[in-house]
Amino acid sequence: MRSRTLLLLFIATALCAGARTLLVGHRGSNEGVENTAEAFRNGVARGYDFLECDVRVTADGEFVLCHDTDNKRLGGHSEIATSTLAELRADTLHQTRHGQDYTATICTLGEYLDICREGGVRPVIELKWSTGINSKDFSNIPALIAFIDSAGFADKCVILTSMKPCLEYIRANWPDIELQFLGAKAWRSSFDWCDSLRMDVDIAHDCLTAESIDSLHRAGLKVNCWTVDPLDRARELQSMGVDIITTNALLPEQVNP
């Protein structure tokens, strides 16, 4: 019996050691204005397994992609929640990344999902506090899920947020959608909650240890970590057993040579 247990342990260890670490393109990639079509297309070209975006709701109920509550950091002049899609389209966005200047206009959720479909990449959709998508108001979540479903991604997407009530609401009403809890230093206090809801995690990489990753794996939960650009740190996280790395810049062939 003991020899059989040791054999199974050896096989499991060998399988884990040979597993490929999946990569998520953070806001698409660092080639292009973040969360815009160019950044997403370049993420596809790099060969990422997933593309991550940040979803917000406009004044006229459209789903658009923007990390902040407004687009001013990217050279725009508009608050997302109080602007229509047409008004947001009128703003030209700018971002300089590694000495390269990029310009773009805001990307809609539909455009992003089209890019994911064409590129064969899975979407990771982060929910930002928005009208009808927040810890106190879920009224726009059914429309969001219906939109994702109509695009053919209900069984292929990952929905990610730090807003626990939103995750609980989605799990109760759409139990088959893959979810991740977004956490940082205090994430350990949510371990039992994640386990009870069968919720994978996306944790700030400097808040993870080999022991915590092992405990999540023993609970049957996958571990994503954000946001990792140095290759040596990615290799260290690989050795600790993370399943997924979110990155701006790493290439699949670097992480999985």
Side-chain angles (χ1 to χ4, degrees):
M1 180 68 178
R2 182 173 179 273
S3 61
R4 181 174 180 273
T5 301
L6 289 173
L7 176 61
L8 290 174
L9 180 61
F10 173 79
I11 292 171
T13 302
L15 288 172
C16 289
R20 188 172 69 89
T21 305
L22 303 177
L23 291 186
V24 180
H26 184 234
R27 305 178 199 172
S29 68
N30 64 357
E31 293 181 296
V33 178
E34 64 183 58
N35 272 316
T36 67
E38 183 177 12
F40 293 126
R41 290 195 180 101
N42 282 322
V44 169
R46 288 181 177 183
Y48 290 147
D49 303 281
F50 305 84
L51 295 176
E52 182 259 355
C53 72
D54 301 291
V55 170
R56 293 189 181 274
V57 183
T58 67
D60 51 345
E62 299 288 341
F63 299 114
V64 297
L65 310 185
C66 187
H67 180 271
D68 303 345
T69 58
D70 58 55
N71 61 15
K72 297 174 185 177
R73 178 171 58 86
L74 301 176
H77 309 87
S78 306
E79 297 283 339
I80 306 301
T82 58
S83 303
T84 66
L85 176 58
E87 290 168 337
L88 292 166
R89 291 278 203 201
D91 280 344
T92 299
L93 307 180
H94 305 269
Q95 194 171 23
T96 301
R97 312 184 81 175
H98 301 284
Q100 177 72 40
D101 295 326
Y102 298 97
T103 61
T105 56
I106 199 163
C107 186
T108 66
L109 179 63
E111 291 165 341
Y112 157 79
L113 291 176
D114 285 344
I115 293 168
C116 289
R117 183 186 305 104
E118 292 161 7
V121 178
R122 292 185 64 190
V124 175
I125 301 168
E126 181 174 346
L127 307 184
K128 293 295 188 180
W129 188 289
S130 305
T131 305
I133 302 178
N134 60 70
S135 295
K136 300 178 181 180
D137 180 4
F138 312 139
S139 58
N140 271 326
I141 292 180
L144 174 67
I145 301 300
F147 189 96
I148 294 168
D149 189 26
S150 69
F153 280 102
D155 61 345
K156 301 177 182 68
C157 74
V158 176
I159 293 181
L160 163 71
T161 189
S162 61
M163 297 184 288
K164 288 184 176 181
C166 290
L167 290 169
E168 291 172 342
Y169 178 76
I170 295 170
R171 176 59 82 231
N173 290 279
W174 298 275
D176 295 329
I177 289 182
E178 190 170 338
L179 302 176
Q180 289 183 6
F181 169 62
L182 180 65
K185 289 183 179 179
W187 76 268
R188 288 175 181 81
S189 63
S190 300
F191 178 92
D192 290 340
W193 176 82
C194 290
D195 188 17
S196 68
L197 292 176
R198 310 313 303 150
M199 189 93 59
D200 295 329
V201 299
D202 185 13
I203 307 300
H205 72 90
D206 54 355
C207 299
L208 287 169
T209 64
E211 291 75 21
S212 62
I213 293 168
D214 182 61
S215 67
L216 287 160
H217 282 166
R218 281 189 276 109
L221 305 179
K222 294 194 291 290
V223 182
N224 185 2
C225 62
W226 55 274
T227 300
V228 183
D229 290 337
L231 181 57
D232 57 349
R233 179 55 177 161
R235 292 274 171 77
E236 183 179 10
L237 288 159
Q238 276 184 307
S239 70
M240 291 161 57
V242 296
D243 304 287
I244 309 168
I245 292 175
T246 298
T247 184
N248 294 294
L250 291 171
L251 299 175
E253 57 265 30
Q254 294 175 303
V255 177
N256 298 292

